[in-house]
Amino acid sequence: MLLHEIADYTVGERSSSLGGEVVHHAKRAVLDWFAATIPGGLLAPAAMLRKALAADIGQGAARLYPSWERTTSRTAALINGTASHIIEFDDIFRDAIYHPGSPVVAAALAVAQERRATGDAFARAVIVGYEISTRIGAVVNPAHYEYWHTTGTVGSLGAAAAAATVLELDRDELAHALATAGTFAAGLQQAFRSDAMSKPLHAGRAAEAGVLAAMAAAEGVTGALDILDGARGFGNAMSERCEWAGAVEGLGKHYNITKLTVKNHACCGHTFPAIDGVLALRRDHQLTPESVKVIRVATYRTALDVTGSWTATTPFEAKFSLPYVVATALMYGSVRLDAFTETRLSDPTLKDLMGRIELEVDSEIDGQFPGRRAAHVTVATVDGEALTRHQSTSKGDPDDPLTDKELQDKYRELVEPVIGGEAAQALLEALWALDKLEVVDLPMGKVQTSPGGVIGQAR
């Protein structure tokens, strides 16, 4: 049975001999998660959840970030998982159209802190959660992504696997945890086709669902063990023609956690090839808004379905507007947190440049999705030149990864304004030594400032 095969891998990974590269990439994943979570924890809707669940604060051994307040594992998973997805800077597994870190790390960390687990146990839980959920996500996509948000759906299974690993569930208990998580899975695409707060809640709810499923299984709660591949199960209900052998292929041999996309822009990942293409043309030809007549972006259909909007009146809308982020890249040379301030959103020069952008689907590029995300960018200048760039990958993709230094620079950029340089450095050093920690109660400095003015609060 499929879930028992997955459970066998999960139990075995608790004591396997993991290679140094795999462990290193697990540390990178956790470091990147903190980079997104610490600033996100001060923003809506995470800050609102903190108030809504105030009765849980101080009741438990898990931590909230960046406040470092104690709470229960379920509440920590929910709020931290939500926080990690707010500023749109969390990791991606490209083939699954999925942000694994948000639900998996949030769930693993919450349970590890509640159980006072070692750093090694936590790291193994993260690895397990990534490996299982990325494979399931690749099996059900791209058809699943037509209506569902993979981070909210498949993320529940990754979170359950991670939490169950920390709890040291046996084979049968673990299978039932996954089965229960499978029926908890939810998250509709409509949630991020409008200016709403639901999208980051998908990640948090998936983390919480996974923790609950694992805790319930530990007490004997059973689930439908054919929840993925049954006639009325996840695959048939939420995808098409699933080849479930792919969900266990390479488990314990080839590690997807070593093939992540680490975001280099603070917006939807579907915009990245176009952004990088425009940045390359800007650099090579010293382009300015005044020198540009038209920018044509040809890319895959899903990118236009999700981000092909010219409406960019709020930070959320702007992060899902390919014209806005492409115009921003050409004007300012980057798309970081300051791209979504009120000043930028109301900039008339930027809005004028957006009006000179044209979008279209490229059938060849579309056929490569989701295994490859590409864009063909053409800039027609006012002098009559036609400058072209085929961007076959994005900076941060496994084909062109961020170095450890670049990842640390991203972390410092996002974390230091919130907790200060000294505390950020102490946490950074602890994260690089993650597998050696006796207890995963990671240090946290006092919150010094809110990033709200830079990132922009969700409405």
Side-chain angles (χ1 to χ4, degrees):
M1 186 170 284
L2 177 60
L3 287 186
H4 276 128
E5 288 186 64
I6 295 174
D8 285 338
Y9 156 74
T10 302
V11 171
E13 200 73 286
R14 293 204 291 258
S15 58
S16 65
S17 298
L18 291 169
E21 181 189 20
V22 177
V23 175
H24 183 72
H25 278 275
K27 294 176 182 178
R28 281 174 56 98
V30 176
L31 173 58
D32 196 42
W33 183 87
F34 272 97
T37 302
I38 287 175
L42 298 181
L43 301 176
M48 295 173 174
L49 289 177
R50 162 66 182 76
K51 294 179 181 178
L53 300 171
D56 290 347
I57 308 304
Q59 308 295 316
R63 297 282 194 182
L64 293 180
Y65 292 94
S67 70
W68 219 44
E69 294 169 302
R70 296 283 190 186
T71 190
T72 65
S73 57
R74 284 180 61 191
T75 296
L78 172 62
I79 297 178
N80 289 334
T82 298
S84 67
H85 200 47
I86 290 173
I87 65 170
E88 291 291 336
F89 241 139
D90 48 328
D91 64 14
I92 298 170
F93 184 70
R94 191 171 54 186
D95 291 4
I97 325 177
Y98 169 47
H99 300 276
S102 287
V104 170
V105 177
L109 182 60
V111 178
Q113 289 178 335
E114 187 173 74
R115 298 302 173 110
R116 296 190 60 78
T118 66
D120 178 71
F122 167 58
R124 289 174 184 272
V126 169
I127 292 165
V128 163
Y130 271 73
E131 297 310 312
I132 291 171
S133 60
T134 55
R135 284 169 170 79
I136 293 172
V139 166
V140 300
N141 276 310
H144 180 72
Y145 198 70
E146 181 69 20
Y147 295 102
W148 301 97
H149 183 201
T150 316
T151 303
T153 55
V154 172
S156 301
L157 293 151
T165 299
V166 177
L167 293 174
E168 298 185 339
L169 301 192
D170 65 28
R171 176 181 186 258
D172 290 337
E173 291 169 338
L174 211 149
H176 284 295
L178 292 169
T180 297
T183 203
F184 283 170
L188 291 165
Q189 283 259 343
Q190 196 63 39
F192 51 92
R193 302 301 178 97
S194 60
D195 186 17
M197 298 184 190
S198 303
K199 185 175 187 280
L201 288 173
H202 291 171
R205 184 66 183 93
E208 182 197 19
V211 170
L212 175 58
M215 292 170 62
E219 298 300 327
V221 174
T222 62
L225 294 178
D226 56 355
I227 197 68
L228 295 181
D229 53 350
R232 297 293 186 272
F234 188 96
N236 286 331
M238 301 166 77
S239 185
E240 299 173 0
R241 297 182 294 277
C242 295
E243 298 292 337
W244 285 109
V248 293
E249 184 177 357
L251 278 175
K253 298 177 182 178
H254 310 294
Y255 286 84
N256 288 344
I257 202 168
T258 67
K259 303 172 185 176
L260 299 174
T261 292
V262 175
K263 280 191 169 189
N264 198 41
H265 309 299
C267 50
C268 179
H270 294 306
T271 68
F272 285 12
I275 290 173
D276 285 344
V278 167
L279 287 174
L281 291 174
R282 179 184 191 270
R283 179 191 65 235
D284 295 344
H285 302 280
Q286 293 78 53
L287 293 175
T288 65
E290 295 74 23
S291 66
V292 171
K293 182 178 181 181
V294 177
I295 302 173
R296 297 185 183 90
V297 176
T299 188
Y300 54 95
R301 184 175 301 279
T302 299
L304 301 192
D305 287 346
V306 176
T307 68
S309 171
W310 270 262
T311 302
T313 58
T314 69
F316 183 89
E317 289 174 344
K319 290 178 182 185
F320 286 82
S321 170
L322 195 154
Y324 179 86
V325 296
V326 164
T328 298
L330 191 138
M331 279 191 66
Y332 295 100
S334 68
V335 186
R336 309 298 275 195
L337 298 186
D338 58 0
F340 306 101
T341 60
E342 290 184 11
T343 300
R344 291 279 187 92
L345 292 170
S346 59
D347 186 338
T349 305
L350 186 57
K351 290 182 180 295
D352 178 72
L353 184 56
M354 286 175 64
R356 286 176 267 156
I357 294 174
E358 299 175 357
L359 307 178
E360 63 182 48
V361 174
D362 182 293
S363 58
E364 183 176 351
I365 291 174
D366 190 48
Q368 298 171 347
F369 178 78
R372 183 169 294 280
R373 300 183 181 190
H376 191 80
V377 180
T378 302
V379 174
T381 71
V382 294
D383 294 333
E385 289 186 282
L387 311 173
T388 64
R389 169 83 178 190
H390 183 77
Q391 192 70 34
S392 61
T393 191
S394 302
K395 178 66 175 177
D397 275 349
D399 324 75
D400 187 14
L402 295 189
T403 64
D404 286 351
K405 181 183 182 303
E406 289 170 327
L407 174 58
Q408 289 182 167
D409 289 344
K410 171 186 170 179
Y411 164 87
R412 289 192 174 98
E413 175 188 342
L414 296 172
V415 172
E416 286 185 359
V418 181
I419 63 173
E422 185 177 342
Q425 181 62 28
L427 177 59
L428 180 65
E429 292 173 3
L431 292 173
W432 281 129
L434 187 62
D435 55 327
K436 308 301 182 186
L437 298 180
E438 293 184 6
V439 180
V440 189
D441 198 16
L442 296 160
M444 178 61 56
K446 183 179 179 181
V447 175
Q448 296 191 353
T449 185
S450 168
V454 175
I455 302 169
Q457 287 281 4
R459 288 193 294 128

